[in-house]
Amino acid sequence: MIRQATVLGLMLVAGLNVTPILAAKPDGDCAAKRQVIQEKIEAARQNGHSHELQGLQRAQGKVEAHCDDAALRQERLADVKDARQEVEEREMDLRDAMGKGDQEK
């Protein structure tokens, strides 16, 4: 059980090591969002999904009005920071459980 938890912890840490790369993506995130929404709009039009089309058009308007690449980057960095703190807390719990010999944790 402890081995499984250790492996899980290591996998989480390894997975978080690539997130700064994703968070540090160059400018253009808003353009990518616009592109994805536009593709979905075209698909909704082709398939006659009027309710979906309306929602996508609202989303497109919001992206146009409010999307800011710098703000998106800051949000991603904050998410990475939160995830790292969560991993640190779980690692501390794991070390504590290992020290006590707690097989359940």
Side-chain angles (χ1 to χ4, degrees):
M1 187 65 148
I2 290 178
R3 281 187 179 171
Q4 290 173 339
T6 303
V7 169
L8 178 61
L10 291 173
M11 288 171 50
L12 285 171
V13 171
L16 288 177
N17 286 337
V18 297
T19 50
I21 295 167
L22 297 174
K25 216 165 86 172
D27 290 344
D29 292 330
C30 291
K33 278 187 172 193
R34 286 184 201 102
Q35 180 65 33
V36 168
I37 291 172
Q38 187 59 41
E39 289 171 3
K40 288 182 179 183
I41 286 174
E42 290 172 15
R45 277 192 185 129
Q46 289 175 355
N47 296 318
H49 298 149
S50 59
H51 291 294
E52 184 179 355
L53 181 61
Q54 290 172 357
L56 288 166
Q57 288 171 334
R58 279 193 301 274
Q60 185 180 39
K62 288 180 181 181
V63 167
E64 292 296 331
H66 304 292
C67 192
D68 176 34
D69 287 333
L72 284 175
R73 185 175 190 284
Q74 287 304 107
E75 287 176 25
R76 287 189 179 113
L77 290 174
D79 290 344
V80 169
K81 181 180 177 184
D82 291 344
R84 284 189 175 157
Q85 288 175 342
E86 178 71 23
V87 168
E88 288 175 14
E89 290 172 13
R90 289 179 186 230
E91 286 176 337
M92 286 177 22
D93 290 344
L94 179 60
R95 282 192 295 271
D96 186 44
M98 289 173 71
K100 293 179 181 177
D102 184 356
Q103 295 291 324
E104 293 299 314
K105 278 232 174 184

